[in-house]
Amino acid sequence: MTLARGGDLALMMTGGGARAAYQVGLLRCIARHWPTVPIPILTGISAGAINATFLAAQTGDFPTKVEQLSKLWRGLTVDQVFRVDTRSLVRNALRLMFRLVSGGALHAPRPHALVDTWPLRTLLERELGVTDGTIPGIAENLRRRALKALAITTSSYSTGQSITWVQGRDVTLWERAQRKSVGCDLGVSHVMASSSLPLFFPAVEIDGRWYGDGGVRLTAPLSPAVNLGAGRILAVSTRYVRSRGEAERPVVSGYPPPAQIMGVVFNAVFLDLFEADALALERISELAARLPEESRGRMRPVRLLTMRPSRDLGKLANDYEAKLPRTFRFFTRGLGTRETRSNDVLSLLMFQPDYLSAMIELGEADAEARKDEIGEFLTGG
């Protein structure tokens, strides 16, 4: 397999809960048109960590891996991600309310989150072929040199740091202010922690400390790929960028419901930082390219191609809201999901086969529309 010009290619996938199905559509386009392109570096944050780990763990060719991942997402249902039975949802809600009104009483229950994500852990362990807590396919791909590194980012609730867990070969670990990398044999706990949406999904304990969604503390989402030596980064965001006219139009009438406020906060925490980091990387790369090599210091040019949805995935979620499980739908409507025209919070939790299939198809269509640009980038032209 010949490495294209431009250095190692990294695939970086951001978070977004159920919206990560959009990334699968892009992968389907790549697998169809460039089935042998090497992607030695995989990095993922939040739900993007699930996709990155799945690709790193499968030992078939790239089109086969993508087809398996697509089949997984298309068949996914809410109850395969978290428990949606009435008893579980009501118990968690009551525990949260009792904790709030107890004034922090010592004997008050300590709720971990709104939902129980044990079904997702069971699903991932089965799909990733977990043995003894580790994912054997990653080590096998590293041994075959089909993979250079997989990096999964989490946020430490115990220390406040951003921790990137890395499994790779010939990897130099790094440490920056409030963020560092840790070498390890990756397991499902790392993936679960990275995709643990605050408040909704419970934090995960790893080596005696608690970790949550990787997007909470990571101020430079592209840094793992850069630090792992990528010369080119294909980044897939799940954030729809509104036009100026769309941005000026309100999506709620009157006082915003909790769902709208939470959507704005989640976008600011998980996705807006990516846009700022992408701009910074492009500026640094442009500056480094203009300098003589001996004057660059630690700077080096890195090419970046970013893919984003061409449609508002929050608005798209409204079309499928009525098919959610009844009790879960009751709770989400209590947050005001029917009062906003762009349902970003709902789109994070919309693990419905029809919605997920629609996003995969959108990702594939968006990639086809930029096929020439993607091809030039992947082949290092």
Side-chain angles (χ1 to χ4, degrees):
M1 190 178 293
T2 303
L3 182 65
R5 293 170 297 172
D8 283 341
L9 172 64
L11 175 63
M12 180 270 182
M13 289 176 279
T14 66
R19 290 187 288 191
Y22 174 83
Q23 299 164 351
V24 180
L26 168 76
L27 295 173
R28 284 176 58 85
C29 178
I30 293 175
R32 182 167 56 253
H33 295 292
W34 305 278
T36 60
V37 63
I39 308 179
I41 300 172
L42 298 169
T43 73
I45 305 169
S46 192
I50 296 176
N51 290 335
T53 303
F54 190 94
L55 294 177
Q58 304 302 316
T59 55
D61 58 25
F62 187 67
T64 301
K65 295 180 183 182
V66 172
E67 188 57 35
Q68 291 172 337
L69 182 61
S70 177
K71 182 179 179 180
L72 173 64
W73 275 98
R74 287 184 186 275
L76 204 59
T77 56
V78 175
D79 61 343
Q80 290 178 297
V81 180
F82 49 84
R83 294 182 59 183
V84 292
D85 58 284
T86 301
R87 180 180 178 182
S88 176
L89 292 173
V90 171
R91 182 180 66 245
N92 288 339
L94 290 176
R95 283 178 174 177
L96 285 169
M97 286 189 291
F98 185 75
R99 180 70 176 179
L100 181 65
V101 300
S102 70
L106 293 177
H107 298 293
R110 295 178 63 86
H112 288 175
L114 284 172
V115 298
D116 179 354
T117 54
W118 188 258
L120 178 60
R121 175 180 285 272
T122 302
L123 175 69
L124 291 177
E125 288 178 346
R126 182 179 70 247
E127 294 294 331
L128 298 175
V130 172
T131 57
D132 299 325
T134 61
I135 305 172
I138 299 174
E140 174 62 16
N141 282 325
L142 289 169
R143 186 190 64 80
R144 295 170 49 234
R145 306 188 76 81
L147 177 70
K148 179 180 179 181
L150 169 65
I152 295 174
T153 300
T154 63
S155 299
S156 173
Y157 291 147
S158 300
T159 66
Q161 294 176 301
S162 175
I163 307 296
T164 298
W165 307 89
V166 180
Q167 185 173 352
R169 51 181 171 81
D170 304 324
V171 168
T172 301
L173 299 178
W174 65 92
E175 184 169 355
R176 305 288 186 271
Q178 289 302 310
R179 53 188 172 95
K180 68 176 184 177
S181 60
V182 177
C184 69
D185 291 331
L186 290 165
V188 168
S189 289
H190 300 95
V191 183
M192 291 291 295
S194 183
S195 55
S196 179
L197 193 67
L199 299 181
F200 285 97
F201 295 174
V204 177
E205 186 178 13
I206 302 174
D207 298 333
R209 294 184 177 183
W210 293 90
Y211 298 87
D213 197 296
V216 173
R217 289 290 297 172
L218 185 58
T219 56
L222 295 166
S223 62
V226 174
N227 283 303
L228 289 170
R232 294 166 296 144
I233 303 174
L234 175 59
V236 192
S237 173
T238 59
R239 175 69 180 274
Y240 170 70
V241 179
R242 296 175 181 172
S243 66
R244 181 175 297 180
E246 290 174 316
E248 292 296 327
R249 288 195 293 270
V251 295
V252 293
S253 300
Y255 192 84
Q260 176 63 20
I261 296 173
M262 293 165 66
V264 172
V265 171
F266 284 158
N267 280 335
V269 172
F270 300 127
L271 299 176
D272 288 356
L273 288 175
F274 168 78
E275 304 297 335
D277 193 36
L279 179 60
L281 178 63
E282 289 173 343
R283 288 176 173 173
I284 292 172
S285 295
E286 182 180 354
L287 174 61
R290 295 187 180 197
L291 292 174
E293 191 166 346
E294 63 273 11
S295 302
R296 292 175 182 173
R298 294 173 57 186
M299 292 192 302
R300 59 184 175 84
V302 178
R303 292 187 63 192
L304 173 66
L305 178 63
T306 302
M307 295 294 300
R308 300 179 180 87
S310 61
R311 291 184 59 187
D312 187 333
L313 302 184
K315 288 184 177 179
L316 185 62
N318 288 331
D319 298 336
Y320 301 91
E321 185 266 354
K323 297 182 180 180
L324 284 170
R326 179 175 298 178
T327 305
F328 182 67
R329 186 175 68 237
F330 175 82
F331 279 110
T332 57
R333 287 181 177 179
L335 294 174
T337 55
R338 303 191 74 184
E339 301 172 42
T340 173
R341 288 176 287 278
S342 182
N343 237 316
D344 287 328
V345 165
L346 194 62
S347 70
L348 300 175
L349 305 171
M350 185 67 73
F351 294 97
Q352 290 284 109
D354 45 7
Y355 177 70
L356 299 174
S357 293
M359 286 198 296
I360 291 173
E361 291 163 9
L362 177 62
E364 197 166 358
D366 287 351
E368 285 288 344
R370 298 176 62 182
K371 184 177 68 174
D372 293 341
E373 183 183 4
I374 294 173
E376 186 273 338
F377 184 82
L378 292 178
T379 57

